[in-house]
C-alpha cells in the first residue's frame, strides 16, 4: 500500500510549536482514514488553521526514491507533509438564504448534495448566471464576521469567505497577509437582498381569494384547474367569499401579496424572467398594477390590446424583479430560467461595514459545479472540490486543503537515514511534490531539523518553494551551503496581481516572492526562478512574459526556467470546469492543446521556451540546459536540480492538482 511506510506516533512527541493553542488532540475524533490508523488528530484555534485537521504520524522512512519511470532529473526526495495548508475554508451562517435554480431560496444549513442552485460562469464584468449542482456540504466552527451592505443586508461569515466585488474576489478578513481583503466601499455583485416570504395572515388570505376569483372571472381562456384552487378552498373555511371579493380602500402589504399570488394562480404565467397577467377586465389589471407598485415592483402595460380583447400586465423582465415577485408573493408555480442572465453590481450592494463579532459560531459551506453560489443576493465563492487524497480514504476535494498529514518525526528520520551505511550521499530534492514551506511549517517547524541533518552530513540538496517562510531558515541554509551544494529556487509563473488573485491567492503574492528572491540573492545564493505554471491564453502573452522576466531579473535571480501547465487525469477535469466557467472562450484552445494527453504539444512547449529564453537574454538571465539540470553543483542554478521544462513531473503534478481550485493554483 502506498502509505505502508507510515504509522501513528508512539507517543505525543509532536513537533508542533509549543506556543500553539490546542482545541483538540484526540486520536479518535474525527474518524481516522483507514490508511492512517491511530494517528494523532490535532486542530488549532488560530484563524489561519480554522476548519483544518492535522494527522500527526511517525513515518517509517523519509528519504524516498523517485520511480524509475519518472522523467524528473533527480532520484531522491523528502516530503515532510502530505496535503497543503495554503488553501482557506469559506463558510457562512447556516440561516443565510441560498438561491435555488428554480428561484426559491433555502437556508444554507438545509441545502443538500444534489440540489440545483444558481451559480455564475464567465470572467470579470462578463459573468452570467447558470444553474449548477451542489456537490458537497459541510459545517465547521470558526470566528465570525458580519458584513453589512448599503441596503441593510447582513451576511455573517468566516474571515476567509470571499465575495465577488467590482475589484474581483475579496476575502472578508483574511488571516494570511497579502490576500485581497474586502473593504468598506467595495460593491458586491449580485441581485440584491432576497425579500422575506409572506406570512399567511388574514389580509394575505383575503387578498389571495380576491385575486383568484376575480382573476378567474376575466381569464381569457376560461377557468383553469390548478393547485391554486385547492389552496383557495382551504382559505374559504375561515373567510366568507363575499368578504374576500371586496376591494379594500387602503390595501395592506399583506393583502397585495396575497392578491398577486391569487391572480397569478388564476390568470398568470411565467416565461424565463417574465411574469405576465392576462385578462379581459382592464379594471382587474389596474388592481394588479397597483399591487405591484405597492410592493415596489415595476410593471408595464403593452400599448395595444391583443386579439380577442385580451389585455396584459408584465412585471419588468429582469432577474431582480422576477425573484422579488416570487419571494414577496410566495408563488412557487412560476418556473424561472435565469441561464445566461448577466451578473451586475448595484449601488445598494456597496459594503457599509465589516465587523468582527468576537464570536466563534457554527458555519456552513457547500461545493458547487461552478465554484460559487448566490447567498442572500450576492455572489459567493465556495471551496471547489477536486479529486485528491482518495488514496488515503479522504474525500475528493475539501480534504486535501483541510486535512494535512504531518510526519512529526521527519527530523530524526532524516538524521538516521543520512547516517545509514547504505546511503550514498546523493542530492535530495525538496518541494517537488508538496511545498515544504506551506503555512503548516510555521507551526510544526520540521524543516530546521531536516536542514540541520543535511548540514551535519554535508549532503547536497535543493528546495523549490512558493512560500516566503524559507527566509526564516536562511541562517541554516547559509551554514549548509558552507559545507555542501545547496540549490534554491522560487516558483513565480507571472507577476500580474489580478491574475494572482484569480488563480493562486492562497500563495504569497508574486511581489513577496520576488522580495524573497532578492533576500536569498543578497545572502549569496544564486537563485533560479521556476516560471511556472505558464497558463496558455492567460499568462503566455509576450507582454506577460516580458513583464515577468523583467521583474525576475530585477530581483537578482540567476536564471529563469519556464514550465507550461500540464494536466494529468483528475486535475484536467477540474481545471476544465474552472476554465469553461471563467474563460469559456479559451476552451477550444485547451481542447486542441491537451486533447491527446496531459502535456501540451512539444511544438508549443518549445515555442514557449524560446520566447522566455529570448526575454531572459534581453535581461541578462541564464536558462539552464538539460545537462546542467541534472547537476546540483554549488554553481548550478537552484531550480535546475529538477526544473527543466520537459522534466518536472512531480512539481507539475502538484501545481496542476491545485489548478482544480484555480484561485489556489500554487505549487504546494
Amino acid at each position: 500500500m502506498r502509505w505502508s511506510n507510515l504509522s501513528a506516533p508512539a507517543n505525543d512527541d509532536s513537533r508542533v510549536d509549543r506556543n500553539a493553542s490546542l482545541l483538540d488532540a484526540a486520536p479518535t475524533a474525527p474518524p481516522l482514514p483507514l490508511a492512517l490508523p491511530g494517528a494523532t488528530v490535532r486542530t488549532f484555534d488560530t484563524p489561519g488553521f480554522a476548519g483544518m485537521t492535522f494527522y500527526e504520524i511517525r513515518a517509517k522512512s523519509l528519504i524516498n526514491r523517485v520511480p524509475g519511470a519518472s522523467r524528473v532529473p533527480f532520484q531522491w526526495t523528502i516530503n515532510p507533509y502530505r496535503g497543503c495548508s495554503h488553501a482557506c475554508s469559506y463558510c457562512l451562517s447556516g440561516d443565510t438564504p441560498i438561491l435555488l435554480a428554480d428561484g426559491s431560496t433555502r437556508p444554507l444549513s438545509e441545502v443538500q448534495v444534489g440540489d440545483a442552485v444558481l451559480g455564475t460562469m464567465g470572467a470579470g464584468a462578463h459573468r452570467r448566471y447558470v444553474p449548477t449542482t451542489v456537490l458537497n456540504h459541510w459545517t465547521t466552527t470558526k470566528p465570525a464576521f458580519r458584513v453589512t451592505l448599503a441596503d441593510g443586508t447582513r451576511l455573517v461569515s468566516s474571515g476567509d469567505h470571499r465575495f465577488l466585488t467590482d475589484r474581483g474576489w475579496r476575502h472578508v478578513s483574511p488571516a494570511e497577509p497579502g490576500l485581497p481583503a474586502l473593504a468598506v466601499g467595495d460593491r458586491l455583485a449580485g441581485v440584491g437582498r432576497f425579500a422575506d416570504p409572506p406570512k399567511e395572515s388574514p389580509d394575505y388570505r383575503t387578498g389571495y381569494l380576491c385575486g383568484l376569483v376575480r382573476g378567474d372571472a376575466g381569464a381569457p381562456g376560461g377557468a383553469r384547474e390548478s393547485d391554486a384552487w385547492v389552496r383557495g378552498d382551504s382559505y374559504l373555511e375561515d373567510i366568507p367569499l363575499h368578504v374576500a371579493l371586496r376591494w379594500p380602500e387602503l390595501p395592506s402589504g399583506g393583502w397585495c401579496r396575497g392578491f398577486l399570488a391569487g391572480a397569478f394562480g388564476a390568470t398568470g404565467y411565467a416565461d424565463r424572467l417574465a411574469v405576465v397577467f392576462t385578462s379581459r377586465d382592464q379594471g382587474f389589471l389596474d388592481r394588479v398594477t397597483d399591487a405591484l407598485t405597492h410592493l415596489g415592483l415595476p410593471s408595464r402595460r403593452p400599448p395595444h390590446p391583443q386579439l380577442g380583447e385580451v389585455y396584459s400586465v408584465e412585471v419588468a423582465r429582469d432577474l431582480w424583479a422576477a425573484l422579488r415577485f416570487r419571494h414577496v408573493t410566495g408563488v412557487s408555480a412560476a418556473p424561472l430560467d435565469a441561464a445566461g442572465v448577466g451578473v451586475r453590481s448595484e449601488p445598494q450592494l456597496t459594503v457599509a461595514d465589516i465587523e468582527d463579532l468576537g464570536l466563534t459560531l457554527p458555519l456552513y459551506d457547500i461545493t458547487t459545479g461552478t465554484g460559487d453560489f448566490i447567498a442572500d443576493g450576492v455572489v459567493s465563492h465556495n471551496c471547489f472540490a477536486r479529486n485528491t487524497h482518495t488514496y488515503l480514504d479522504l474525500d475528493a476535494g475539501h480534504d486535501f486543503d483541510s486535512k494535512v498529514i504531518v510526519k512529526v518525526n521527519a527530523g530524526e528520520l532524516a538524521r538516521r537515514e543520512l547516517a545509514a551505511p547504505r546511503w550514498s550521499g546523493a542530492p535530495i530534492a525538496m518541494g517537488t511534490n508538496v511545498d515544504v514551506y506551506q503555512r503548516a511549517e510555521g507551526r510544526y517547524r520540521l524543516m530546521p531539523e531536516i536542514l540541520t541533518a543535511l548540514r551535519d552530513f554535508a549532503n547536497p540538496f535543493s528546495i523549490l518553494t512558493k512560500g516566503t517562510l524559507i527566509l526564516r531558515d536562511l541562517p541554516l541554509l547559509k551554514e549548509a551551503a558552507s559545507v555542501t551544494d545547496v540549490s534554491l529556487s522560487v516558483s513565480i509563473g507571472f507577476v500580474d496581481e489580478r491574475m494572482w488573485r484569480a488563480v493562486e491567492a492562497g500563495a504569497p503574492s508574486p511581489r513577496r516572492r520576488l522580495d524573497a528572491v532578492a533576500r536569498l540573492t543578497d545572502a549569496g545564493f544564486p537563485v533560479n526562478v521556476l516560471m511556472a505554471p505558464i497558463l496558455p491564453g492567460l499568462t503566455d502573452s509576450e507582454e506577460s512574459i516580458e513583464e515577468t522576466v523583467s521583474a525576475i531579473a530585477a530581483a537578482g535571480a540567476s536564471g529563469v526556467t519556464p514550465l507550461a501547465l500540464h494536466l494529468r487525469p483528475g486535475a484536467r477535469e477540474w481545471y476544465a470546469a474552472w476554465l469553461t466557467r471563467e474563460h469559456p472562450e479559451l476552451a477550444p484552445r485547451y481542447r486542441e492543446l491537451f486533447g491527446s494527453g496531459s502535456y501540451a504539444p512539444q511544438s508549443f512547449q518549445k515555442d514557449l521556451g524560446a520566447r522566455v529564453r529570448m526575454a531572459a537574454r534581453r535581461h541578462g538571465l541564464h536558462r539552464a540546459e538539460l545537462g546542467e539540470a541534472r547537476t546540483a553543483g554549488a554553481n548550478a542554478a537552484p531550480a535546475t536540480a529538477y526544473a527543466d521544462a520537459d522534466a518536472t513531473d512531480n512539481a507539475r503534478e502538484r501545481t496542476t492538482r491545485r489548478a482544480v481550485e484555480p484561485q489556489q493554483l500554487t505549487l504546494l
Side-chain angles (χ1 to χ4, degrees):
M1 185 171 66
R2 186 181 305 202
W3 289 85
S4 60
N5 66 323
L6 303 182
S7 65
N11 51 53
D12 193 28
D13 184 23
S14 169
R15 304 306 304 164
V16 68
D17 185 348
R18 293 305 178 186
N19 294 322
S21 176
L22 303 182
L23 285 178
D24 182 23
T28 57
L32 291 171
L34 295 178
L36 300 174
T40 296
V41 183
R42 202 178 295 275
T43 60
F44 305 99
D45 63 358
T46 51
F49 296 102
M52 298 192 66
T53 303
F54 294 87
Y55 295 88
E56 298 176 359
I57 56 92
R58 295 186 65 84
K60 295 179 181 179
S61 65
L62 185 71
I63 303 176
N64 300 312
R65 180 187 289 274
V66 176
S70 176
R71 293 191 288 167
V72 297
F74 52 85
Q75 293 183 315
W76 301 94
T77 66
I78 285 179
N79 292 296
Y81 301 96
R82 295 291 186 186
C84 186
S85 55
H86 274 319
C88 299
S89 299
Y90 312 98
C91 35
L92 289 164
S93 174
D95 60 359
T96 305
I98 304 303
L99 183 60
L100 304 186
D102 64 3
S104 62
T105 65
R106 185 175 299 165
L108 178 56
S109 61
E110 298 178 14
V111 172
Q112 298 180 358
V113 173
D115 283 344
V117 299
L118 209 60
T120 73
M121 181 177 291
H126 305 289
R127 303 185 76 89
R128 296 187 179 277
Y129 293 103
V130 294
T132 186
T133 303
V134 176
L135 305 176
N136 202 354
H137 180 274
W138 64 88
T139 183
T140 186
T141 300
K142 305 187 75 173
F145 293 77
R146 180 165 56 211
V147 178
T148 303
L149 307 184
D151 67 353
T153 300
R154 292 184 174 182
L155 296 150
V156 175
S157 75
S158 70
D160 290 328
H161 189 79
R162 279 179 289 173
F163 293 109
L164 182 62
T165 76
D166 50 358
R167 298 191 296 145
W169 292 103
R170 298 277 153 173
H171 298 259
V172 172
S173 181
E176 185 173 345
L179 295 182
L182 193 67
V184 172
D186 282 342
R187 184 180 293 186
L188 303 191
V191 293
R193 181 180 182 181
F194 299 143
D196 294 329
K199 298 178 180 179
E200 289 200 3
S201 63
D203 270 5
Y204 178 88
R205 296 180 179 185
T206 301
Y208 186 93
L209 287 170
C210 183
L212 182 66
V213 177
R214 288 187 177 275
D216 179 70
R224 65 185 188 187
E225 295 294 329
S226 68
D227 292 340
W229 287 100
V230 176
R231 186 178 178 185
D233 287 342
S234 67
Y235 292 167
L236 283 172
E237 296 177 2
D238 300 316
I239 302 171
L241 184 58
H242 70 279
V243 173
L245 292 179
R246 295 172 185 166
W247 293 115
E249 293 185 8
L250 294 174
S252 66
W255 186 92
C256 290
R257 291 177 180 229
F259 175 73
L260 291 173
F264 185 86
T267 186
Y269 69 90
D271 179 18
R272 281 184 55 81
L273 299 183
V275 177
V276 183
F277 298 85
T278 60
S279 180
R280 298 179 185 277
D281 182 353
Q282 293 199 60
F284 172 77
L285 293 179
D286 289 340
R287 298 282 184 169
V288 170
T289 300
D290 291 343
L292 290 170
T293 301
H294 185 94
L295 297 176
L297 283 162
S299 62
R300 62 182 290 270
R301 299 281 290 270
H304 302 290
Q306 300 175 2
L307 294 176
E309 298 298 318
V310 176
Y311 303 86
S312 65
V313 171
E314 297 181 0
V315 178
R317 294 180 180 237
D318 65 66
L319 183 57
W320 175 84
L323 292 173
R324 182 168 177 82
F325 173 80
R326 286 162 174 80
H327 297 165
V328 300
T329 63
V331 169
S332 59
L336 175 72
D337 180 5
V341 175
V343 177
R344 297 184 298 185
S345 295
E346 304 292 349
Q348 64 269 23
L349 300 184
T350 300
V351 176
D353 188 35
I354 304 171
E355 178 186 2
D356 184 345
L357 296 180
L359 300 172
T360 299
L361 299 175
L363 300 172
Y364 297 79
D365 192 17
I366 57 176
T367 294
T368 71
T370 60
D372 61 7
F373 55 96
I374 315 304
D376 206 1
V378 296
V379 181
S380 298
H381 197 280
N382 72 88
C383 189
F384 198 71
R386 60 225 189 250
N387 289 330
T388 61
H389 264 28
T390 53
Y391 48 83
L392 282 176
D393 301 300
L394 299 173
D395 70 54
H398 181 60
D399 282 352
F400 184 82
D401 294 330
S402 63
K403 297 181 179 179
V404 177
I405 315 305
V406 184
K407 303 175 185 178
V408 295
N409 61 333
E412 65 181 76
L413 276 178
R415 184 168 294 277
R416 186 180 72 194
E417 293 177 7
L418 290 170
R422 64 179 180 276
W423 176 245
S424 65
I428 294 173
M430 293 179 284
T432 63
N433 192 29
V434 172
D435 199 334
V436 294
Y437 284 109
Q438 60 174 283
R439 286 186 295 136
E441 171 61 17
R443 284 286 189 182
Y444 283 94
R445 301 182 63 86
L446 301 181
M447 284 300 294
E449 288 192 26
I450 294 173
L451 294 176
T452 299
L454 290 166
R455 178 202 64 190
D456 292 349
F457 286 92
N459 201 101
F461 64 90
S462 60
I463 299 175
L464 169 63
T465 184
K466 278 191 178 179
T468 55
L469 187 60
I470 189 174
L471 297 174
R472 179 201 65 189
D473 294 340
L474 188 52
L476 270 175
L477 292 170
K478 293 172 67 175
E479 291 175 9
S482 68
V483 297
T484 189
D485 295 336
V486 176
S487 296
L488 304 179
S489 67
V490 177
S491 178
I492 306 172
F494 44 83
V495 295
D496 187 303
E497 292 286 316
R498 291 174 298 178
M499 184 58 65
W500 163 66
R501 294 186 182 102
V503 301
E504 56 175 24
S509 71
R511 184 57 51 193
R512 291 177 60 200
R513 280 177 265 165
L514 288 167
D515 290 342
V517 170
R519 288 187 59 184
L520 291 171
T521 300
D522 290 343
F525 289 95
V527 181
N528 193 79
V529 170
L530 180 63
M531 192 170 162
I534 301 176
L535 309 176
L538 296 173
T539 63
D540 64 343
S541 68
E542 294 298 334
E543 294 78 7
S544 178
I545 290 174
E546 184 69 21
E547 182 183 18
T548 303
V549 172
S550 174
I552 291 170
S558 62
V560 58
T561 304
L563 186 66
L565 173 72
H566 92 295
L567 298 171
R568 289 190 175 186
R572 63 185 293 131
E573 292 82 5
W574 293 105
Y575 185 84
W578 172 79
L579 185 76
T580 54
R581 182 177 77 248
E582 299 291 339
H583 299 281
E585 73 282 359
L586 292 178
R589 183 179 182 188
Y590 274 74
R591 283 194 292 269
E592 179 182 355
L593 289 174
F594 298 99
S596 59
S598 300
Y599 298 90
Q602 282 294 319
S603 58
F604 174 85
Q605 296 186 47
K606 289 179 179 179
D607 175 72
L608 184 64
R611 291 192 289 131
V612 173
R613 187 162 55 249
M614 291 175 63
R617 286 174 179 171
R618 286 194 294 272
H619 293 281
L621 285 173
H622 168 67
R623 178 191 182 276
E625 300 301 329
L626 185 58
E628 295 174 284
R630 296 182 181 275
T631 304
N635 298 318
T640 62
Y642 43 83
D644 191 83
D646 299 324
T648 318
D649 281 15
N650 282 4
R652 286 185 289 192
E653 177 179 12
R654 187 57 62 192
T655 301
T656 51
R657 179 174 299 194
R658 300 293 293 160
V660 298
E661 180 171 318
Q663 71 286 350
Q664 302 285 353
L665 186 61
T666 64
L667 184 65
L668 300 179

